[in-house]
């Protein structure tokens, strides 16, 4: 839980409901980072978007993050 809080504070995402302009900007930053990571992995491994998301989800579940 501490890691999630730290990550939220670094990205300036407040709370769970994105109620302020500052937290909305943080959410957009986070989504841009995720999108860039997916694009990088697609290019590096020659996978489709769906395959990258599926493999990342499996890994997150395996590690107990999701």
């Amino acid at each position: 839980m501490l890691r999630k809080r730290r990550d939220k504070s670094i990205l300036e995402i407040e709370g769970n409901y994105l109620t302020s302009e500052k937290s909305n900007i943080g959410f957009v930053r986070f989504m841009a980072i995720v999108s860039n990571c997916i694009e990088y992995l697609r290019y590096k491994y020659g996978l489709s978007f769906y395959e990258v998301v599926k493999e990342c989800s499996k890994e997150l579940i395996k590690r107990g993050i999701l």
Side-chain angles (χ1 to χ4, degrees), residues 38 47-61 66:
I38 290 171
L47 300 171
S48 71
F49 177 87
Y50 174 75
E51 291 168 327
V52 171
V53 171
K54 182 176 156 186
E55 292 303 316
C56 289
S57 295
K58 281 185 198 175
E59 190 64 28
L60 293 170
I61 291 168
L66 288 180

Side-chain angles (χ1 to χ4, degrees), residues 5-58:
R5 288 184 188 157
R6 184 194 70 213
D7 293 345
K8 281 181 160 183
S9 67
I10 289 169
L11 295 169
E12 299 178 353
I13 298 174
E14 300 170 359
N16 293 327
Y17 299 103
L18 304 175
T19 57
S20 72
E21 181 180 352
K22 188 175 182 180
S23 65
N24 287 334
I25 291 169
F27 180 73
V28 171
R29 285 181 188 153
F30 174 72
M31 293 309 294
I33 291 168
V34 169
S35 176
N36 287 334
C37 289
I38 290 171
E39 286 300 317
Y40 171 77
L41 293 170
R42 284 184 64 207
Y43 173 77
K44 183 174 181 179
Y45 296 109
L47 300 171
S48 71
F49 177 87
Y50 174 75
E51 291 168 327
V52 171
V53 171
K54 182 176 156 186
E55 292 303 316
C56 289
S57 295
K58 281 185 198 175

